[in-house]
Amino acid sequence: MAKVVEEKRVVTIVFAGDSGDGIQLTGTQFTNTSALFGNDVSTFPNYPAEIRAPQGTVAGVSGFQLQFGSVEVYTAGDICDVLVAMNAAAFKVNLPRLKKSGTIIINTDGFNAKDLRLAGYESSPLEDKSLEDYRTISIDVTKLTAAALVDSGLGKKEVERSRNMFVLGFLYYMYNREIAPTEKFIKEKFAKAPHLIDANIKVLKAGYNFGDTSETFTSRYNVKAAKLPVGTYRNIMGNQATALGLVAASQKAGLDLFYGSYPITPASDILHELSKHKNFGVKTFQAEDEIAAVCSTIGASFGGELGVTASSGPGIALKGEAIGLAVMLELPMVVINVQRGGPSTGLPTKTEQADLMQAMYGRNGEAPMPVISASSPSDCFDAAFEACRIAIEHMTPVFFLSDGYMANGSEPWKFPTTDELKEIKVVHAKERKQDDPEFLPYKRDERLVREWALPGTKGLEHRIGGIEKEWDTGNISYNPENHERMVKVRAAKVARIADSIPLQTIDSGADSGKVLVLGWGSTYGVIKTALKECLEEGLEVSHAHLRYIEPFPKNLGEIIKKFDKVLIPEMNNGQLVKIIRDKFLVDAKGLNKIKGIPFSTPEIVLAIKELAHA
Amino acid sequence: MTTDTAEIKLTPKDFTTDQEVRWCPGCGDYSILKQVQSILPETGVNKEDIVFISGIGCSSRFPYYMDTFGMHSIHGRATAVASGLKIARPELSVWVITGDGDSLSIGGNHLIHTIRRNFNMNILLFNNEIYGLTKGQYSPTSPEGKVTKSTPMGSLDHPFNPMALCLGADATFIARAMDRDVKHLREVLVRANDHIGTSLLEIYQNCNVFNDGAFEIYTDKGSKKEEALFLEEGQPLVFGNDDNKGILLDNGTPKVVRLDDGMYTKEDLWIHDSSDKHKAYLLTTFFDNPSLEGHMPRPFGVFYAQDRFRYEEAMYQQLDLAVERKGEGNLDKLLRGENTWTVS
Ligand SMILES: Cc1ncc(C[n+]2csc(CCOP(=O)(O)OP(=O)(O)O)c2C)c(N)n1
Ligand code: SF4
Ligand SMILES: [Mg+2]
């Protein structure tokens, strides 16, 4: 049956099902295909902490939300146009995200008596009157998948595992997408199991054809390619971008990358990604714990490599003492924290920005460190690269903050070429001959940076350690004046990094006005989206987003002064806001959300309006 | 013109620094420092290619007194720091200096993992059966019932048997020496350094301030012969005054026999073979409290030495293999990825 084709600017879909339903894969495939087609995309995977959470229950629901459009999109969307629910629990959890009159695609086989009971329904919600507000497309995906595979010889389990391909095929038809990219993906993924290639492609096509032939809906949708800035793009996830940023920095610096890590959600994917790039000289070391991870990294840095260690909050806590050692040693090192909900084990698979204070102050003694934050999946590349540059050029450990939202989210990335990347200048202390002046390990240049003296270099034999150093010589010193001087110089060294970083810019809005929304981290997209709305309504509001939190860009104080009010949205109980109040003595207001999920645009808009009209 | 220092024969003095040595007078650490400084010139390794890494403790001050590269790191973590350094710079000669608290209490985890990975490094474990730097609490090697500042009624901890622990972690080299027998210490240091892989050398070290005489029974002239068993490659296990005792394997069970009553001769004894893991295991069980009746003598020397692949070498092989398979990394290709699209 011929269908009407409707044009759409932006669409938000949430795929939801049991954690064993292949939801993340389905969502990722739809995202990649849409990105390749030229849409702007932004994603938000949301899955349970347990690998095998109780099947069919609300706790076991895995979701993947994606917004794609013919215009630029900065978030994975606030409310959804389409909900794909593979079972009753997925339906229950995600229905509140669906807009009135939205479309629900239902796998009817996931709504039998047992599914309903597990989801906590007394009667089937599909028969509920309230569903009349939505457009429901009911498909027995299990049955149709089995029918498509009737001659395949596959067992029941394997058949069920390819149901997600049916749904994907169906959505490809609905949104006028090509199935070729997914066909290619299937061929690569199952290269070692050819019978699964055939089966998955068959089901994918069956889903597509089902859309074509069935009369379940009358219109298809077209979301044109977005007018992104001219250039060549790829789709990228945050953790992947972080990994590439590290490799790029190591290549630009001409140093091998050493990555010491202990697996933890949501940071492990950086380790997985880096371990694929051994042909770049990348050395990944899965240590016995986070302490060994950071200590081995310090050892590698001492040996002259670009040392990077990563974890999430709990692991960063374990690394604390050793990070302090790196501060004393004044060796380059990057410490990555892919933040998740805390404290303690907290919400391991959910996002939060609650480790800023830990990064700033979470060490014993006065132990200042630069803190750099990324603001979106693709921005992880630039931020990670910049963290490495600062670490190497300023001989200091650097914190790089990411979070679960941007780490697992994805978006199109206009990737740079090698030539477009900044240079990273590596300076090593030179060999000393017999008559040369003695090597002083803690002698500093005008930026207060000491020299990187590699073992193996003649005449540079020296000892460093965690005990306070004597000025210049680096010998042990308990002298009171010396200690105070050294504490101050370590702080001044970090402060002087402000001379080598760009000034803060305003992302949207005017240079002055009523409200400045000051953000950091993965709230970038949602603040930008909120700003657009507010600016269209004529509100006097601007948005600045911080990459450099320690030290701040030199002009940040001046920018803040030009606004009547400052609003600081954070996915924590108020951390940046405390630092801003401390440093600039302004009555900045916090907007805080601590639910393990990102802000929605209306939440930010509302807070802006309240402050603007206060 | 300066001459190339590598051609000048180094002396122990070349390895001393201008830093005042701060151990208590009479501390066993001095003797170990001296022996290490004395064997290094013989290793033929250039000064700049040697790195000493320590944790925290009296013993861990060691690197400050060695004119090589050095790092005094944090408590328990020297092995982890050294592991990263070895991966980064496999060609360096890396020595870890650690105490019994440093390596077996707070750093126990890193010790066993370093050992199983078998990085080519030397670990010198200064065992004084006490926490020296923190002024005298019992340590994981202190005997049961030990009265210390933190255990006025005696320690309740059963001690670690370091040799058994390390062999259990699949060490490829374990040996024991003592500060007071410098000639033997020297020999074992040389063997530890010669071994390619992680060499774990436990050194009984007297803390004359907080645990004086802990090893006296093995070092004192009057008891040494009876209590200490010196392992020599290819030689029978003989000890005792006038070498009047030996150890043989009686159906696999070690048994002390007399050599002076005509029943047994040296030919009947267990011949030391450091490549025999089973024998090494038995030697580690010679760990009785010396006050017990019929206890075994305490072995000194190299218990076990085996050749096994080193982590860092295997890592570089993988790196080479990756280049062989995929070619040298091309950053532009990596950044571009597999699927791109162009907006014009
Ligand atoms: C994280 C940490 N915990 C505790 C200490 C205190 N401390 C320093 S050395 C030490 C024990 C040292 O004993 P050992 O390793 O046997 O060395 P020794 O002084 O006997 O040579 C302790 C508990 C510390 N420096 N760091
Ligand atoms: S306290 Fe004991 S171990 Fe420490 S320096 Fe003094 S004698 Fe040596
Ligand atoms: Mg001790």
Side-chain angles (χ1 to χ4, degrees), chain A residues 35 184 228 231 233-234 276-279 283 285 288-289 296 303 418 433 455-456 458 462-466 475, chain B residues 4 19 48 63 67-68 70-72 80 84 89 109-110 117 316 318 326-327 329 332 334-335 339-341 343:
Chain A
K184 182 175 163 223
L228 297 175
Y233 289 78
R234 64 177 286 188
K276 291 186 215 157
H277 304 307
K278 292 191 199 296
N279 59 329
K283 296 163 193 160
F285 180 54
E288 57 272 22
D289 60 23
S296 58
T418 306
K433 301 264 167 54
K458 271 196 178 41
H462 69 288
R463 277 64 54 194
I464 53 178
N475 291 332
Chain B
D4 188 16
Q19 297 295 293
E48 67 273 15
D67 194 15
T68 62
M71 187 195 296
H72 181 214
R89 304 285 303 278
N109 196 30
H110 311 309
R117 293 186 181 114
Y316 279 83
Q318 272 197 353
K326 300 191 196 172
D332 278 310
L334 178 70
L335 299 185
N339 298 305
T340 62
W341 70 96
V343 176

Short mmCIF file of all heavy atoms in Angstrom, two decimals, chain A residues 35 184 228 231 233-234 276-279 283 285 288-289 296 303 418 433 455-456 458 462-466 475, chain B residues 4 19 48 63 67-68 70-72 80 84 89 109-110 117 316 318 326-327 329 332 334-335 339-341 343:
data_model
loop_
_atom_site.label_atom_id
_atom_site.label_comp_id
_atom_site.label_asym_id
_atom_site.label_seq_id
_atom_site.Cartn_x
_atom_site.Cartn_y
_atom_site.Cartn_z
N ALA A 35 23.04 9.08 11.10
CA ALA A 35 24.18 9.99 11.01
C ALA A 35 24.81 9.90 9.62
O ALA A 35 25.09 10.92 8.98
CB ALA A 35 25.22 9.64 12.08
N LYS A 184 25.92 -4.18 6.39
CA LYS A 184 27.38 -4.21 6.44
C LYS A 184 27.84 -4.54 7.87
O LYS A 184 28.73 -5.37 8.09
CB LYS A 184 27.92 -2.84 6.01
CG LYS A 184 29.42 -2.77 5.96
CD LYS A 184 29.90 -1.41 5.40
CE LYS A 184 31.35 -1.17 5.74
NZ LYS A 184 31.65 0.19 6.18
N LEU A 228 24.61 20.82 8.71
CA LEU A 228 25.71 20.99 9.65
C LEU A 228 26.78 21.82 8.96
O LEU A 228 26.80 21.91 7.73
CB LEU A 228 26.28 19.63 10.04
CG LEU A 228 25.32 18.70 10.79
CD1 LEU A 228 25.98 17.34 11.00
CD2 LEU A 228 24.92 19.30 12.13
N GLY A 231 31.86 20.02 5.97
CA GLY A 231 32.98 19.20 6.40
C GLY A 231 32.64 17.73 6.34
O GLY A 231 31.54 17.35 5.98
N TYR A 233 32.21 14.19 8.34
CA TYR A 233 31.80 13.79 9.68
C TYR A 233 31.86 12.29 9.87
O TYR A 233 31.82 11.52 8.91
CB TYR A 233 30.34 14.21 9.93
CG TYR A 233 30.14 15.68 10.09
CD1 TYR A 233 30.11 16.52 8.97
CD2 TYR A 233 29.96 16.24 11.35
CE1 TYR A 233 29.91 17.88 9.12
CE2 TYR A 233 29.76 17.60 11.50
CZ TYR A 233 29.73 18.42 10.38
OH TYR A 233 29.53 19.76 10.53
N ARG A 234 31.93 11.91 11.14
CA ARG A 234 31.67 10.53 11.52
C ARG A 234 30.86 10.59 12.81
O ARG A 234 30.79 11.63 13.45
CB ARG A 234 32.96 9.76 11.76
CG ARG A 234 33.75 10.32 12.92
CD ARG A 234 35.00 9.53 13.21
NE ARG A 234 34.69 8.26 13.84
CZ ARG A 234 35.62 7.44 14.35
NH1 ARG A 234 36.90 7.77 14.24
NH2 ARG A 234 35.29 6.32 14.93
N LYS A 276 42.84 -1.58 21.30
CA LYS A 276 42.81 -1.94 19.88
C LYS A 276 43.91 -1.23 19.10
O LYS A 276 44.11 -1.51 17.93
CB LYS A 276 41.48 -1.50 19.26
CG LYS A 276 40.27 -2.25 19.73
CD LYS A 276 39.07 -1.77 18.90
CE LYS A 276 37.82 -1.76 19.73
NZ LYS A 276 36.81 -0.84 19.19
N HIS A 277 44.54 -0.25 19.72
CA HIS A 277 45.45 0.59 18.94
C HIS A 277 46.92 0.39 19.30
O HIS A 277 47.70 1.33 19.37
CB HIS A 277 45.03 2.06 19.08
CG HIS A 277 43.61 2.29 18.68
ND1 HIS A 277 43.12 1.88 17.46
CD2 HIS A 277 42.56 2.82 19.34
CE1 HIS A 277 41.83 2.17 17.39
NE2 HIS A 277 41.46 2.74 18.52
N LYS A 278 47.28 -0.86 19.48
CA LYS A 278 48.66 -1.16 19.83
C LYS A 278 49.62 -0.78 18.70
O LYS A 278 50.80 -0.56 18.94
CB LYS A 278 48.81 -2.65 20.16
CG LYS A 278 48.11 -3.06 21.45
CD LYS A 278 48.51 -4.47 21.85
CE LYS A 278 47.55 -5.11 22.83
NZ LYS A 278 47.48 -4.44 24.11
N ASN A 279 49.11 -0.74 17.49
CA ASN A 279 50.01 -0.37 16.38
C ASN A 279 50.39 1.11 16.42
O ASN A 279 51.20 1.56 15.63
CB ASN A 279 49.41 -0.76 15.02
CG ASN A 279 48.08 -0.10 14.75
OD1 ASN A 279 47.31 0.17 15.67
ND2 ASN A 279 47.80 0.19 13.50
N LYS A 283 50.32 1.42 25.00
CA LYS A 283 50.51 0.33 25.97
C LYS A 283 49.40 0.39 27.00
O LYS A 283 49.36 1.32 27.81
CB LYS A 283 51.87 0.47 26.66
CG LYS A 283 53.02 0.31 25.67
CD LYS A 283 54.32 0.83 26.21
CE LYS A 283 55.33 0.94 25.08
NZ LYS A 283 56.43 1.86 25.43
N PHE A 285 47.64 -1.21 30.24
CA PHE A 285 48.00 -2.09 31.36
C PHE A 285 46.79 -2.21 32.27
O PHE A 285 46.39 -1.24 32.91
CB PHE A 285 49.19 -1.48 32.11
CG PHE A 285 49.67 -2.30 33.28
CD1 PHE A 285 50.00 -3.64 33.13
CD2 PHE A 285 49.80 -1.73 34.54
CE1 PHE A 285 50.46 -4.40 34.21
CE2 PHE A 285 50.25 -2.47 35.63
CZ PHE A 285 50.57 -3.81 35.46
N GLU A 288 46.08 -4.50 38.82
CA GLU A 288 45.33 -5.30 39.78
C GLU A 288 44.32 -4.46 40.57
O GLU A 288 43.40 -5.00 41.17
CB GLU A 288 46.27 -6.03 40.75
CG GLU A 288 47.23 -5.13 41.53
CD GLU A 288 48.55 -4.88 40.78
OE1 GLU A 288 48.56 -5.02 39.55
OE2 GLU A 288 49.55 -4.56 41.44
N ASP A 289 44.48 -3.17 40.57
CA ASP A 289 43.51 -2.28 41.21
C ASP A 289 43.83 -0.85 40.76
O ASP A 289 44.79 -0.62 40.02
CB ASP A 289 43.52 -2.42 42.75
CG ASP A 289 44.87 -2.08 43.38
OD1 ASP A 289 45.66 -1.35 42.75
OD2 ASP A 289 45.14 -2.56 44.50
N SER A 296 51.49 2.65 38.36
CA SER A 296 52.23 2.21 37.17
C SER A 296 52.28 3.36 36.17
O SER A 296 53.28 3.53 35.46
CB SER A 296 51.58 0.97 36.55
OG SER A 296 50.24 1.23 36.20
N GLY A 303 59.42 7.37 33.34
CA GLY A 303 60.22 6.80 32.26
C GLY A 303 60.13 7.57 30.96
O GLY A 303 60.82 7.25 30.00
N THR A 418 45.33 15.44 11.25
CA THR A 418 46.50 15.53 12.11
C THR A 418 47.10 16.94 12.07
O THR A 418 47.50 17.49 13.10
CB THR A 418 47.56 14.52 11.63
OG1 THR A 418 46.94 13.24 11.59
CG2 THR A 418 48.74 14.46 12.56
N LYS A 433 77.53 16.72 30.83
CA LYS A 433 78.90 16.21 30.74
C LYS A 433 79.61 16.56 32.04
O LYS A 433 79.10 17.33 32.85
CB LYS A 433 79.60 16.88 29.54
CG LYS A 433 78.91 16.62 28.21
CD LYS A 433 79.55 15.45 27.48
CE LYS A 433 78.73 14.94 26.32
NZ LYS A 433 78.36 15.98 25.34
N PRO A 455 65.33 8.77 32.98
CA PRO A 455 66.34 7.76 33.29
C PRO A 455 67.00 7.33 31.98
O PRO A 455 66.34 7.27 30.93
CB PRO A 455 65.53 6.60 33.87
CG PRO A 455 64.26 7.21 34.37
CD PRO A 455 64.00 8.40 33.48
N GLY A 456 68.27 7.05 32.06
CA GLY A 456 68.99 6.68 30.85
C GLY A 456 69.77 7.85 30.28
O GLY A 456 70.56 7.68 29.36
N LYS A 458 72.64 10.49 30.66
CA LYS A 458 73.88 10.63 31.43
C LYS A 458 73.90 11.93 32.23
O LYS A 458 73.50 12.98 31.73
CB LYS A 458 75.08 10.64 30.48
CG LYS A 458 75.63 9.29 30.16
CD LYS A 458 77.01 9.47 29.54
CE LYS A 458 77.71 8.18 29.22
NZ LYS A 458 76.94 7.09 28.66
N HIS A 462 69.14 11.43 39.58
CA HIS A 462 68.55 12.22 40.66
C HIS A 462 67.45 11.39 41.32
O HIS A 462 66.99 10.40 40.77
CB HIS A 462 67.97 13.53 40.12
CG HIS A 462 66.75 13.34 39.25
ND1 HIS A 462 66.81 12.82 37.98
CD2 HIS A 462 65.44 13.56 39.50
CE1 HIS A 462 65.59 12.74 37.47
NE2 HIS A 462 64.73 13.17 38.36
N ARG A 463 67.06 11.83 42.51
CA ARG A 463 66.03 11.12 43.26
C ARG A 463 64.86 12.06 43.49
O ARG A 463 65.06 13.23 43.84
CB ARG A 463 66.57 10.68 44.64
CG ARG A 463 67.34 9.39 44.66
CD ARG A 463 68.65 9.37 43.90
NE ARG A 463 69.57 10.42 44.25
CZ ARG A 463 70.64 10.76 43.54
NH1 ARG A 463 70.93 10.11 42.41
NH2 ARG A 463 71.42 11.75 43.90
N ILE A 464 63.66 11.53 43.23
CA ILE A 464 62.47 12.31 43.55
C ILE A 464 61.58 11.47 44.45
O ILE A 464 61.77 10.25 44.56
CB ILE A 464 61.69 12.74 42.27
CG1 ILE A 464 61.38 11.51 41.40
CG2 ILE A 464 62.48 13.77 41.50
CD1 ILE A 464 60.58 11.85 40.16
N GLY A 465 60.64 12.10 45.08
CA GLY A 465 59.78 11.34 45.98
C GLY A 465 58.71 12.22 46.59
O GLY A 465 58.60 13.40 46.26
N GLY A 466 57.95 11.62 47.46
CA GLY A 466 56.80 12.31 48.02
C GLY A 466 57.12 13.24 49.18
O GLY A 466 56.29 14.03 49.60
N ASN A 475 66.23 17.89 46.89
CA ASN A 475 66.58 17.04 48.04
C ASN A 475 65.48 17.13 49.10
O ASN A 475 64.70 18.07 49.12
CB ASN A 475 67.90 17.51 48.67
CG ASN A 475 69.08 17.24 47.77
OD1 ASN A 475 69.04 16.30 46.97
ND2 ASN A 475 70.12 18.05 47.87
N ASP B 4 84.05 9.62 27.77
CA ASP B 4 82.81 8.88 27.94
C ASP B 4 82.88 8.12 29.28
O ASP B 4 83.72 7.26 29.47
CB ASP B 4 82.63 7.92 26.77
CG ASP B 4 81.27 7.26 26.80
OD1 ASP B 4 80.39 7.77 27.52
OD2 ASP B 4 81.11 6.24 26.13
N GLN B 19 73.94 12.91 50.19
CA GLN B 19 72.94 12.98 51.25
C GLN B 19 73.42 12.21 52.48
O GLN B 19 73.92 11.09 52.37
CB GLN B 19 71.62 12.38 50.76
CG GLN B 19 71.01 13.15 49.60
CD GLN B 19 70.61 14.56 49.99
OE1 GLN B 19 69.70 14.75 50.78
NE2 GLN B 19 71.32 15.55 49.46
N GLU B 48 73.35 5.72 34.79
CA GLU B 48 72.12 6.40 34.37
C GLU B 48 71.04 5.41 33.92
O GLU B 48 69.91 5.80 33.70
CB GLU B 48 72.41 7.41 33.25
CG GLU B 48 72.87 6.81 31.92
CD GLU B 48 74.39 6.60 31.84
OE1 GLU B 48 75.05 6.63 32.91
OE2 GLU B 48 74.89 6.37 30.74
N PRO B 63 66.85 4.78 48.19
CA PRO B 63 67.22 5.45 46.93
C PRO B 63 67.95 6.77 47.10
O PRO B 63 68.77 7.14 46.26
CB PRO B 63 65.86 5.68 46.24
CG PRO B 63 64.97 4.63 46.80
CD PRO B 63 65.43 4.45 48.23
N ASP B 67 73.46 7.00 44.03
CA ASP B 67 73.59 7.99 42.97
C ASP B 67 73.22 7.39 41.61
O ASP B 67 74.05 7.22 40.71
CB ASP B 67 75.01 8.59 42.94
CG ASP B 67 75.02 9.84 42.08
OD1 ASP B 67 73.93 10.36 41.78
OD2 ASP B 67 76.11 10.29 41.70
N THR B 68 71.95 7.05 41.52
CA THR B 68 71.37 6.55 40.27
C THR B 68 70.07 7.33 40.12
O THR B 68 69.83 8.26 40.86
CB THR B 68 71.03 5.05 40.39
OG1 THR B 68 70.05 4.90 41.42
CG2 THR B 68 72.26 4.22 40.72
N GLY B 70 66.20 7.56 40.92
CA GLY B 70 65.48 6.96 42.04
C GLY B 70 64.15 7.62 42.30
O GLY B 70 63.93 8.78 41.97
N MET B 71 63.26 6.84 42.87
CA MET B 71 61.98 7.41 43.30
C MET B 71 61.58 6.81 44.63
O MET B 71 61.48 5.59 44.78
CB MET B 71 60.87 7.18 42.27
CG MET B 71 59.60 7.94 42.66
SD MET B 71 58.11 7.42 41.80
CE MET B 71 58.50 7.83 40.12
N HIS B 72 61.35 7.69 45.58
CA HIS B 72 60.83 7.31 46.90
C HIS B 72 59.33 7.52 46.78
O HIS B 72 58.85 8.64 46.84
CB HIS B 72 61.47 8.26 47.92
CG HIS B 72 61.08 8.01 49.33
ND1 HIS B 72 60.95 9.03 50.24
CD2 HIS B 72 60.79 6.88 50.01
CE1 HIS B 72 60.61 8.54 51.42
NE2 HIS B 72 60.50 7.23 51.31
N ALA B 80 54.31 -1.37 41.99
CA ALA B 80 53.40 -0.90 40.93
C ALA B 80 54.08 0.18 40.09
O ALA B 80 53.99 0.19 38.86
CB ALA B 80 52.10 -0.40 41.53
N GLY B 84 55.15 -0.03 35.88
CA GLY B 84 54.90 0.93 34.80
C GLY B 84 56.20 1.38 34.15
O GLY B 84 56.30 1.51 32.93
N ARG B 89 60.12 1.46 29.89
CA ARG B 89 61.55 1.44 29.60
C ARG B 89 62.14 0.09 29.98
O ARG B 89 62.90 -0.02 30.96
CB ARG B 89 62.24 2.57 30.37
CG ARG B 89 61.67 3.98 30.09
CD ARG B 89 62.11 4.51 28.74
NE ARG B 89 63.55 4.53 28.65
CZ ARG B 89 64.31 5.50 29.16
NH1 ARG B 89 63.77 6.53 29.72
NH2 ARG B 89 65.62 5.44 29.05
N ASN B 109 49.18 -6.75 47.76
CA ASN B 109 48.51 -7.01 46.49
C ASN B 109 49.45 -6.76 45.31
O ASN B 109 49.57 -7.58 44.41
CB ASN B 109 47.27 -6.12 46.39
CG ASN B 109 46.33 -6.58 45.31
OD1 ASN B 109 46.25 -7.77 45.01
ND2 ASN B 109 45.61 -5.67 44.72
N HIS B 110 50.13 -5.62 45.35
CA HIS B 110 51.01 -5.30 44.21
C HIS B 110 52.18 -6.27 44.14
O HIS B 110 52.65 -6.60 43.06
CB HIS B 110 51.54 -3.87 44.33
CG HIS B 110 50.46 -2.88 44.60
ND1 HIS B 110 49.32 -2.82 43.84
CD2 HIS B 110 50.33 -1.94 45.55
CE1 HIS B 110 48.53 -1.87 44.33
NE2 HIS B 110 49.12 -1.33 45.37
N ARG B 117 53.52 -11.49 37.12
CA ARG B 117 53.76 -10.94 35.78
C ARG B 117 55.23 -11.10 35.39
O ARG B 117 55.57 -11.01 34.22
CB ARG B 117 53.36 -9.47 35.73
CG ARG B 117 51.87 -9.27 35.87
CD ARG B 117 51.49 -7.81 35.68
NE ARG B 117 50.06 -7.62 35.85
CZ ARG B 117 49.50 -6.92 36.84
NH1 ARG B 117 50.25 -6.30 37.72
NH2 ARG B 117 48.19 -6.82 36.92
N TYR B 316 55.90 -5.91 24.27
CA TYR B 316 56.53 -5.35 23.07
C TYR B 316 56.36 -6.27 21.87
O TYR B 316 56.25 -5.82 20.74
CB TYR B 316 58.01 -5.00 23.34
CG TYR B 316 58.12 -3.67 24.05
CD1 TYR B 316 57.96 -3.58 25.43
CD2 TYR B 316 58.30 -2.50 23.33
CE1 TYR B 316 58.02 -2.36 26.09
CE2 TYR B 316 58.35 -1.27 23.97
CZ TYR B 316 58.21 -1.21 25.36
OH TYR B 316 58.25 0.01 25.99
N GLN B 318 53.68 -7.99 21.34
CA GLN B 318 52.33 -7.68 20.86
C GLN B 318 52.30 -6.39 20.06
O GLN B 318 51.63 -6.29 19.04
CB GLN B 318 51.36 -7.56 22.04
CG GLN B 318 50.74 -8.87 22.45
CD GLN B 318 49.50 -8.68 23.32
OE1 GLN B 318 49.17 -7.57 23.73
NE2 GLN B 318 48.82 -9.77 23.59
N LYS B 326 48.62 -4.58 11.18
CA LYS B 326 47.82 -3.44 10.74
C LYS B 326 48.65 -2.33 10.12
O LYS B 326 48.10 -1.35 9.64
CB LYS B 326 47.11 -2.82 11.94
CG LYS B 326 46.17 -3.75 12.69
CD LYS B 326 45.38 -2.88 13.64
CE LYS B 326 44.67 -3.60 14.73
NZ LYS B 326 44.11 -2.66 15.70
N GLY B 327 49.97 -2.46 10.19
CA GLY B 327 50.83 -1.37 9.74
C GLY B 327 50.99 -0.35 10.84
O GLY B 327 50.21 -0.33 11.79
N GLY B 329 50.60 2.79 12.98
CA GLY B 329 49.38 3.57 13.18
C GLY B 329 49.36 4.83 12.32
O GLY B 329 50.35 5.54 12.25
N ASP B 332 45.50 9.96 10.92
CA ASP B 332 44.39 10.47 10.12
C ASP B 332 43.37 9.40 9.82
O ASP B 332 42.16 9.63 9.87
CB ASP B 332 44.91 11.10 8.82
CG ASP B 332 45.38 12.52 9.07
OD1 ASP B 332 44.62 13.28 9.69
OD2 ASP B 332 46.52 12.85 8.70
N LEU B 334 42.82 6.79 11.66
CA LEU B 334 42.14 6.46 12.91
C LEU B 334 41.04 7.48 13.21
O LEU B 334 39.92 7.11 13.60
CB LEU B 334 43.16 6.44 14.06
CG LEU B 334 42.58 6.16 15.44
CD1 LEU B 334 42.10 4.72 15.56
CD2 LEU B 334 43.62 6.45 16.53
N LEU B 335 41.35 8.75 13.03
CA LEU B 335 40.36 9.78 13.35
C LEU B 335 39.17 9.71 12.42
O LEU B 335 38.03 9.96 12.79
CB LEU B 335 41.00 11.18 13.27
CG LEU B 335 42.17 11.43 14.24
CD1 LEU B 335 42.64 12.87 14.16
CD2 LEU B 335 41.79 11.08 15.69
N ASN B 339 33.14 4.93 8.81
CA ASN B 339 31.97 5.47 8.12
C ASN B 339 31.93 6.98 8.24
O ASN B 339 31.75 7.52 9.32
CB ASN B 339 30.69 4.90 8.73
CG ASN B 339 30.63 3.39 8.59
OD1 ASN B 339 30.75 2.87 7.48
ND2 ASN B 339 30.48 2.69 9.70
N THR B 340 32.08 7.65 7.14
CA THR B 340 32.02 9.11 7.17
C THR B 340 30.99 9.61 6.17
O THR B 340 30.58 8.88 5.28
CB THR B 340 33.37 9.73 6.77
OG1 THR B 340 33.66 9.34 5.44
CG2 THR B 340 34.48 9.26 7.68
N TRP B 341 30.58 10.84 6.35
CA TRP B 341 29.74 11.49 5.35
C TRP B 341 30.16 12.95 5.26
O TRP B 341 30.76 13.48 6.19
CB TRP B 341 28.26 11.34 5.67
CG TRP B 341 27.80 12.11 6.87
CD1 TRP B 341 27.22 13.34 6.87
CD2 TRP B 341 27.87 11.70 8.24
NE1 TRP B 341 26.92 13.72 8.16
CE2 TRP B 341 27.31 12.74 9.01
CE3 TRP B 341 28.35 10.56 8.89
CZ2 TRP B 341 27.22 12.67 10.39
CZ3 TRP B 341 28.26 10.50 10.28
CH2 TRP B 341 27.70 11.54 11.01
N VAL B 343 29.25 16.95 4.43
CA VAL B 343 28.26 18.01 4.29
C VAL B 343 28.90 19.10 3.45
O VAL B 343 29.98 19.56 3.78
CB VAL B 343 27.87 18.57 5.67
CG1 VAL B 343 26.90 19.74 5.52
CG2 VAL B 343 27.27 17.47 6.55
#
